[in-house]
Structures are given as structure tokens and as C-alpha cells.
Amino acid sequence: MQQSKQASNRSIWLIALGAAMWGLDGVFIVSLLQHVSSSQIVWLEHLLLFLFAAPVLIWKRQELKQLNGGDWLAVLFIGWGGSALASILFTAGFTYGNPNVVLLLQKVQPIFVILLASWMLKERMRKDFYALFVVALIGAYLLTFGLHLPTSGVSLAQLLGSLCAIGAAALWGGSTVMGKRLIGKLSFTTLTALRFAVALPLLTIIVLVQQPNWADLGQSLHLAPVWANLLYQTLVPSLLSLLLYYRGLNGVRASHATIAELAFPATGLLVNWLILHQTIDLGQWLGFAIVWLVVLQLSRMPNDPKSAVKTSERANLAGL
């Protein structure tokens, strides 16, 4: 029991660490958008990631034989929705306004995950989980608006950016649930590689349909800063973060994982404050602290909702 609890704690922190790495890419995306489009950034990243994916899938090809039709649909959702379309939407969101808004709206992702996990994975929630979820939403609100009420003066560009961010959050939320379905059949390295490999053909079609200026793209790729940013984006927020994430996902429920993923917008907000000099007020700092305290408390919560029932039953028997 103690070993299982320690494994669950470690899994929560692996997910939080992987999600925190996603929050480090905002600065680099803003820089890359000066040279290439959002879809081209994601496509170039996946071309580089395929150098990891191809050898892994050849080495672990026997694992793929365990997948049924529903599993392959989940793979397509993760690759096309979570890795391709969500990444494009998230990157495009930075084009339309304040990077903080794009990051902060990722905090609606737990809503999608909890609903889907309850429906598709039949996950039962502990009563104290719902209390923790409410606290997380309070922290998310403070991260977004601070101690102020939402304002209505939103431009069309800001609205488009917000819609892109919410779309990315929904797709990533669905990918969390689909990943939880697959992680029992596939190792975390195979699932990570499969995600990148499946996304690449769709991304290639999207880029070709957009008829890019190949000469301009080639000139951009001759710039050392562009390559440095692409390599960082590929190795840290994409490859390393997802390896940590899927390694952790094997040990926790999808509904718990999505709360740990709030480390993503929290870290992104901090990085934007430090490097892009985006303003953070006292209320947002309070929300930042609440989010991380929720992750800490979540890591201490039993992963199996039945464990609390069993503990209660043992206590009652001991009192007889």
C-alpha cells in the first residue's frame, strides 16, 4: 500500500514537471513566429521528432499488435487532435494577442478531462477530489483575472486568440483521456513516438495546402537563432516533457493528471513575467500559489477512490 502511494505521488510530480516544461515554450514561440507560421513551426518540430519516433516504433513494433480498432481511433485523436491541431491552435493563439491569455485559458482543460474521464473511462471521483477541483478553479480564476472582475472590452483578434486557446485545451484534454486508455497497452516511449509519427502526415498536408513560400522558409532556416529555438522546442517542451508526462500518466487517474497539468499555465505565466515582462498582479501570484498547493495536495491523495472506503471499513472493524 505504501509503495503504491509513493508511486502515485511520483507520478503526479512527473506529470506536473512535464506540464511545467510546456509552459517554457511561449517565449520561443513568439520569437519563431517572426520567421515562420504557426503550422510550419509545429510541422518542423514533428519532422525532427520523427528522428526519435521511427527507431522507437521499429524497436517496439510488437506492442502495436495489441491495439484494437478503438485503440487506433484513440491514437488518431492523440496524434491528429492533441499533437497536430492543438499545437497549431495553441501556437496561432500567440499571433492574436497577449501570450498570457493563451496560457491562462489552458486552465479550462480539467473541465473537458473530468467529463470525458467520467464518461469514457468510468472514473469514480472521491468526494474530497471535488473540493480540491473547486479550489483549483479558484486558483485558475485568480491566475486569469487577479482580484478583478472580467472585463468586456475584447477585440476580435483577442477573441480569435481565446477561441484558439480553448480549442487547444479541449483537444489536449481529450488526448489526456485517450492516452490513459492506451498507456496500459503501450509503454510510455512507444505512445510518445506513436503520437509524433501519426501527427506528421496530417501536418504535412496542412502545410502543403497553405502553399508556403519555400524560399522564405529556407532563408529562415539559415538563421542560427531559428534553429536554436526549433531544437529547444523539439527537445524540451515536446519530447522530454511528453516522455515525463506519459511515464507519470501510467500511475494516476486521468482526472488527477489534468489537475497536475495546471503547472503548464502557471509556469508559462511566470516565464512570461520574467522574460516577456508581462504584468502579474498580487491576485495572479495568489492564484499561482494556489495551483501549486493543489498539485501538492493532489500528490498526497489516494489514487484509488475505493481505498478510502476500505480504510473506513477497517477503521469500523477495529472499533467493534
Side-chain angles (χ1 to χ4, degrees):
M1 177 72 70
Q2 184 64 26
Q3 290 180 345
S4 177
K5 174 62 177 171
Q6 290 175 349
S8 178
N9 291 353
R10 184 168 60 250
S11 295
I12 286 292
W13 286 110
L14 283 172
I15 292 171
L17 179 58
M21 289 182 178
W22 301 336
L24 300 177
D25 64 354
V27 176
F28 297 89
I29 288 177
V30 171
S31 176
L32 283 172
L33 284 171
Q34 299 175 10
H35 303 280
V36 288
S37 69
S38 57
S39 56
Q40 289 168 3
I41 291 173
V42 181
W43 175 64
L44 290 169
E45 287 176 7
H46 279 72
L47 281 176
L48 295 172
L49 289 165
F50 190 72
L51 299 177
F52 158 82
V56 170
L57 293 177
I58 293 173
W59 177 35
K60 297 193 173 185
R61 58 187 179 276
Q62 293 299 323
E63 291 185 25
L64 304 181
K65 296 179 180 180
Q66 305 177 55
L67 303 182
N68 57 35
D71 295 331
W72 280 110
L73 288 176
V75 169
L76 284 176
F77 186 95
I78 292 173
W80 291 4
S83 201
L85 297 178
S87 298
I88 290 175
L89 288 172
F90 177 72
T91 306
F94 284 88
T95 306
Y96 298 108
N98 190 327
N100 278 349
V101 174
V102 179
L103 286 165
L104 294 171
L105 283 172
Q106 299 311 304
K107 296 188 302 302
V108 302
Q109 181 174 326
I111 298 173
F112 297 111
V113 174
I114 290 171
L115 291 175
L116 285 172
S118 178
W119 172 45
M120 299 186 66
L121 302 179
K122 309 303 180 185
E123 288 191 358
R124 292 170 52 199
M125 311 303 172
R126 292 165 47 94
K127 291 181 180 179
D128 48 353
F129 172 80
Y130 287 109
L132 200 61
F133 179 56
V134 171
V135 174
L137 290 180
I138 293 172
Y141 177 91
L142 290 172
L143 266 174
T144 308
F145 301 112
L147 299 174
H148 309 288
L149 294 174
T151 57
S152 58
V154 178
S155 67
L156 178 59
Q158 290 173 322
L159 178 60
L160 288 174
S162 297
L163 291 175
C164 286
I166 293 172
L171 290 170
W172 276 329
S175 295
T176 295
V177 176
M178 299 301 175
K180 185 59 183 176
R181 171 188 173 125
L182 295 170
I183 202 65
K185 295 184 176 181
L186 300 174
S187 65
F188 70 97
T189 51
T190 304
L191 182 52
T192 304
L194 199 56
R195 173 177 179 144
F196 297 142
V198 170
L200 184 57
L202 177 62
L203 287 167
T204 302
I205 293 172
I206 291 173
V207 170
L208 291 175
V209 167
Q210 292 176 343
Q211 298 181 337
N213 187 320
W214 296 106
D216 288 348
L217 181 59
Q219 289 180 356
S220 297
L221 294 178
H222 276 90
L223 301 175
V226 171
W227 268 109
N229 283 357
L230 274 175
L231 288 174
Y232 171 82
Q233 286 278 104
T234 300
L235 294 176
V236 180
S238 295
L239 179 57
L240 181 57
S241 67
L242 279 173
L243 286 172
L244 289 171
Y245 174 80
Y246 282 129
R247 178 65 182 85
L249 190 60
N250 189 38
V252 298
R253 297 150 62 83
S255 51
H256 287 202
T258 192
I259 301 298
E261 288 173 40
L262 287 175
F264 166 33
T267 303
L269 190 72
L270 181 62
V271 171
N272 285 353
W273 173 67
L274 291 172
I275 299 178
L276 296 181
H277 307 294
Q278 300 287 342
T279 302
I280 300 180
D281 62 24
L282 177 61
Q284 289 175 308
W285 279 116
L286 180 60
F288 179 85
I290 289 174
V291 164
W292 280 103
L293 287 173
V294 166
V295 172
L296 175 61
Q297 182 60 29
L298 188 66
S299 71
R300 298 173 174 174
M301 181 182 293
N303 193 39
D304 183 1
K306 297 179 181 178
S307 62
V309 176
K310 293 177 180 177
T311 301
S312 177
E313 290 175 350
R314 286 196 297 269
N316 290 337
L317 289 172
L320 291 177

